[in-house]
C-alpha cells in the first residue's frame, strides 16, 4: 500500500488517514507531498491524485484499488483487516455513536476549521473566540462528554480503547492545544491521552522535523 499525505504540521485530513493506516498494522509506504509549493498544482494533476481530484490523503492498495477521504480509508482498512483491529467499538450502541461522531466531525465544525487551522508546531496565547467557533467547541465538548460517560469506562479514549472516533478528532485536539482554548478537566485529560498515543507522538515528531512553512497557516488568530 502507498499513502500520499500532505505536510504533517498542517494537514489535518492527512493525519486522520495516516492514523488509520498505522492502526491497521499493515505495511505501507508513506509519501509526503508538500502542500502549495511550486510543484503542488502540477503534482496533484498527476495520475496518482486523479481519483481524489488532487486531494490528500489518498491510499493506493496495489494498482487497482484506490481510496481517498480519511473516513473512507478508515472503513476500507477496517474491512481489509476483517474488523479485528478495533477501529469501531464492539458494542452496537457504542459503535452507533462512534460512527455518528466520526460522521459529524467529517461534515461539521466549519468555523473551527476555518478560523483555527491545524499547526502542530505552534502554541499561541488564548484569545477570544468568535461566537460560531465557540458554538463548535461547545458541541464537541458535549459529544466528547457523552461518549466518555456512556462508553469510556476505565479507558483513556472516547470509547475506552483507541478507535476511529479518536482518529477523527485527533486534529481537533491539536487545534485546542495550539490556540490555548480553555477547556474543562475531563477534556484536558482526554486530550493528553490522545497526544501521548505512540502514533500521535510519531506524527508530531515528523511535523517538528519538517522544513516547510506555509505562511497562511502561521500566526495567531485575532478574536
Amino acid at each position: 500500500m502507498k499513502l500520499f499525505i500532505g505536510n504533517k504540521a498542517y494537514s489535518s485530513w492527512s493525519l486522520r488517514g495516516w492514523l488509520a493506516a498505522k492502526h491497521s498494522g499493515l505495511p505501507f509506504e508513506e509519501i509526503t507531498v508538500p502542500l502549495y509549493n511550486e510543484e503542488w498544482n502540477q503534482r496533484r494533476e498527476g495520475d496518482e491524485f486523479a481519483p481524489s481530484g488532487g486531494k490528500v490523503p489518498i491510499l493506493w492498495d496495489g494498482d487497482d484499488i484506490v481510496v481517498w477521504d480519511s473516513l473512507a480509508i478508515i472503513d476500507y482498512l477496517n474491512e481489509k483487516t476483517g474488523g479485528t483491529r478495533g477501529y469501531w467499538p464492539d458494542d452496537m450502541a457504542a459503535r452507533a455513536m462512534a460512527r455518528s461522531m466520526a460522521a459529524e466531525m467529517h461534515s461539521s465544525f466549519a468555523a473551527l476549521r476555518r478560523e483555527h487551522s491545524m499547526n502542530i508546531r505552534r502554541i499561541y496565547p488564548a484569545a477570544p473566540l468568535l461566537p460560531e467557533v465557540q458554538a463548535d467547541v461547545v458541541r464537541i465538548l458535549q459529544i466528547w462528554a457523552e461518549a466518555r460517560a456512556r462508553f469510556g469506562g476505565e479507558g483513556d479514549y472516547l470509547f475506552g480503547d483507541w478507535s476511529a472516533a479518536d482518529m477523527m478528532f485527533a486534529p481537533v485536539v491539536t487545534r485546542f492545544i495550539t490556540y490555548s482554548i480553555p477547556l474543562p478537566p475531563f477534556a484536558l485529560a482526554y486530550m493528553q491521552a490522545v497526544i501521548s498515543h505512540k502514533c500521535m507522538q510519531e506524527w508530531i515528531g515528523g511535523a517538528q522535523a519538517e522544513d516547510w512553512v506555509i505562511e497562511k497557516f502561521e500566526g495567531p488568530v485575532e478574536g
Side-chain angles (χ1 to χ4, degrees):
M1 294 192 299
K2 292 183 179 181
L3 179 69
F4 291 86
I5 60 173
N7 310 58
K8 288 183 174 178
Y10 309 114
S11 184
S12 58
W13 287 108
S14 293
L15 170 56
R16 296 179 174 103
W18 184 88
L19 288 173
K22 293 292 286 188
H23 189 69
S24 74
L26 301 172
F28 68 96
E29 180 183 358
E30 175 187 324
I31 303 171
T32 301
V33 181
L35 304 177
Y36 309 120
N37 70 357
E38 61 274 9
E39 299 174 356
W40 171 244
N41 287 331
Q42 180 180 357
R43 183 72 181 270
R44 67 196 301 228
E45 292 174 357
D47 292 342
E48 60 202 8
F49 286 107
S52 69
K55 296 179 180 179
V56 289
I58 182 168
L59 177 71
W60 285 88
D61 190 357
D63 295 327
D64 59 341
I65 297 178
V66 58
V67 191
W68 63 96
D69 190 286
S70 297
L71 195 52
I73 290 171
I74 286 171
D75 279 337
Y76 174 74
L77 292 173
N78 180 55
E79 183 177 354
K80 185 177 176 69
T81 55
T84 62
R85 296 294 296 175
Y87 283 94
W88 303 108
D90 292 332
D91 177 80
M92 183 175 290
R95 188 165 62 253
M97 184 174 185
R99 288 185 181 277
S100 297
M101 289 178 63
E104 184 171 356
M105 179 67 256
H106 190 275
S107 63
S108 304
F109 313 121
L112 178 66
R113 299 172 196 261
R114 181 181 65 250
E115 302 296 334
H116 299 271
S117 58
M118 190 174 88
N119 187 341
I120 284 178
R121 294 188 299 220
R122 300 287 188 181
I123 296 180
Y124 302 118
L129 301 177
L130 294 174
E132 55 269 36
V133 175
Q134 184 63 48
D136 282 350
V137 172
V138 168
R139 174 57 182 168
I140 290 167
L141 293 176
Q142 178 186 16
I143 55 179
W144 281 6
E146 185 176 353
R148 291 288 300 145
R150 292 182 62 192
F151 303 113
E154 297 181 357
D156 293 327
Y157 303 106
L158 292 174
F159 295 88
D161 296 328
W162 180 253
S163 73
D166 303 298
M167 299 173 203
M168 289 297 291
F169 280 95
V172 170
V173 169
T174 72
R175 284 176 164 97
F176 284 174
I177 293 171
T178 293
Y179 297 98
S180 302
I181 294 176
L183 300 166
F186 92 88
L188 295 174
Y190 167 63
M191 288 163 51
Q192 183 58 50
V194 170
I195 289 296
S196 299
H197 191 280
K198 63 180 181 180
C199 291
M200 285 295 291
Q201 285 293 300
E202 182 178 342
W203 178 276
I204 291 167
Q208 297 290 357
E210 288 178 346
D211 295 328
W212 306 297
V213 174
I214 302 177
E215 290 298 335
K216 70 177 182 177
F217 295 143
E218 297 288 333
V221 174
E222 296 182 1

